[in-house]
């Protein structure tokens, strides 16, 4: 039995690393008594599978993890009432992290790392006015290629990242700059937010960054990983607990 959980990570907890986040979830799962399945071998580990790692310092309304459960355990949740898990999980998690959705999935379902093909972001670009940002967006989207140099396995390599820019849109001014929406591809390697801003203007800086959703392509249609559940538009409980 495998469940997929969507959760938000906002506020001060955004500075928690991916490794520490995994430990937080393992503790929360134990606290609520979920009968998590364990791997075989000399050092068994709980079968908890995270999706794309979120950079430390970034917020998110749409993080996902898959949890394998022992269906024979007396404390195994009722597949018809998985929503009942959300409140106790959120209570067992730190302020700013809240479980916002859950569904039952097949154990043969493609992993989140493989299935997610793009992400939506809200990004504050510090130092940019709306007009300046709009002009920079128009320029990069019109470019046939956008090459950047990265280090991979100790060697400098050049990648064309233009295919990763699926959509860039100016949203509104902020006190320190301008907020934009970005829809960025994640495969085969993806584009870091800092790399995106450097493409727009190397003098601009990254402000508040929030992942608003992750997307899969199913039969050519974009769909969030929590199939059959409403798309996360907000996470009011996480916002309130993080404030």
């Amino acid at each position: 039995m495998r469940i997929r959980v969507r959760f938000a990570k906002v506020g001060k907890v955004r500075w928690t690393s991916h490794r520490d986040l995994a430990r937080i979830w393992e503790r929360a799962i134990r606290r609520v008594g979920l009968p998590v399945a364990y791997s075989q071998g000399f050092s068994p580990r709980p079968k908890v599978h995270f999706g794309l790692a979120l950079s430390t310092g970034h917020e998110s309304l749409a993080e996902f993890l898959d949890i394998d459960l022992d269906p024979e355990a007396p404390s195994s949740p009722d597949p018809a009432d998985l929503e009942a898990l959300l409140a106790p999980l959120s209570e067992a998690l730190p302020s700013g992290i809240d479980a916002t959705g859950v569904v039952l999935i097949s154990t043969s379902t493609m992993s989140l790392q493989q299935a997610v093909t793009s992400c939506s972001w809200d990004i504050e670009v510090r130092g940019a006015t709306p007009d300046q940002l709009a002009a920079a967006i128009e320029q990069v989207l019109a470019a046939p290629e956008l090459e950047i140099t990265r280090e991979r396995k100790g060697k400098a390599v050049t990648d064309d990242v233009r295919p990763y820019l699926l959509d860039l849109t100016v949203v509104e001014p902020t006190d320190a700059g301008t907020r934009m929406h970005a829809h960025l591809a994640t495969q085969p390697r993806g584009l870091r937010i800092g790399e995106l801003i450097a493409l727009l203007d190397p003098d601009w800086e990254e402000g508040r960054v929030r992942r608003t959703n992750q997307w899969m392509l199913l039969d050519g249609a974009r769909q969030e990983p929590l199939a059959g559940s409403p798309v996360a538009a907000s996470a009011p409980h996480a916002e309130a607990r993080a404030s």
Side-chain angles (χ1 to χ4, degrees):
M1 179 180 180
R2 178 175 295 173
I3 59 173
R4 176 163 290 173
V5 180
R6 180 184 61 210
F7 65 97
K9 181 186 178 188
V10 299
K12 293 180 180 179
V13 77
R14 70 185 184 275
W15 299 110
T16 302
S17 70
H18 185 71
R19 179 174 294 182
D20 287 339
L21 181 67
R23 296 192 185 103
I24 286 170
W25 266 101
E26 288 179 11
R27 287 197 298 268
I29 290 168
R30 288 197 300 269
R31 285 173 183 168
V32 300
L34 277 178
V36 63
Y38 279 77
S39 62
Q40 302 295 316
F42 182 74
S43 181
R45 296 291 303 164
K47 291 187 175 181
V48 178
H49 318 282
F50 284 85
L52 302 177
L54 184 70
S55 295
T56 302
H58 291 178
E59 295 182 318
S60 178
L61 299 180
E63 296 303 287
F64 297 89
L65 77 158
D66 295 342
I67 306 171
D68 285 7
L69 302 176
D70 180 359
E72 304 301 324
S75 58
S76 187
D78 181 358
D81 191 26
L82 291 177
E83 293 289 322
L85 292 174
L86 297 179
L89 276 173
S90 293
E91 288 301 317
L93 291 162
S95 176
I97 302 178
D98 271 295
T100 60
V102 58
V103 293
L104 181 69
I105 62 172
S106 168
T107 54
S108 62
T109 298
M110 186 183 297
S111 72
L112 288 161
Q113 297 277 356
Q114 295 175 302
V116 172
T117 58
S118 64
C119 292
S120 297
W121 299 87
D122 274 338
I123 304 167
E124 181 187 34
V125 184
R126 291 182 176 172
T129 67
D131 287 345
Q132 290 171 335
L133 183 55
I137 287 173
E138 182 178 3
Q139 183 175 1
V140 298
L141 292 182
E145 294 181 346
L146 291 169
E147 292 187 340
I148 64 172
T149 300
R150 295 163 159 170
E151 185 174 313
R152 191 173 303 134
K153 296 182 179 180
K155 296 182 180 180
V157 296
T158 300
D159 290 332
D160 176 18
V161 298
R162 177 60 186 88
Y164 300 143
L165 306 183
L166 304 179
D167 182 56
L168 300 173
T169 308
V170 173
V171 178
E172 61 184 2
T174 68
D175 291 341
T178 302
R179 188 165 66 90
M180 72 172 179
H181 169 81
H183 183 204
L184 305 176
T186 60
Q187 295 186 16
R189 290 186 176 84
L191 182 68
R192 298 184 184 94
I193 301 301
E195 292 173 333
L196 169 61
I197 293 175
L199 284 171
L200 294 168
D201 190 311
D203 291 331
W204 293 342
E205 296 181 351
E206 175 185 315
R208 201 70 171 257
V209 177
R210 174 176 288 185
R211 180 151 59 191
T212 57
N213 221 320
Q214 301 184 42
W215 302 103
M216 307 183 302
L217 280 179
L218 298 177
D219 298 325
R222 191 175 73 169
Q223 184 172 335
E224 73 153 0
L226 211 64
S229 180
V231 172
S234 63
H237 300 297
E239 296 275 11
R241 297 202 309 144
S243 61

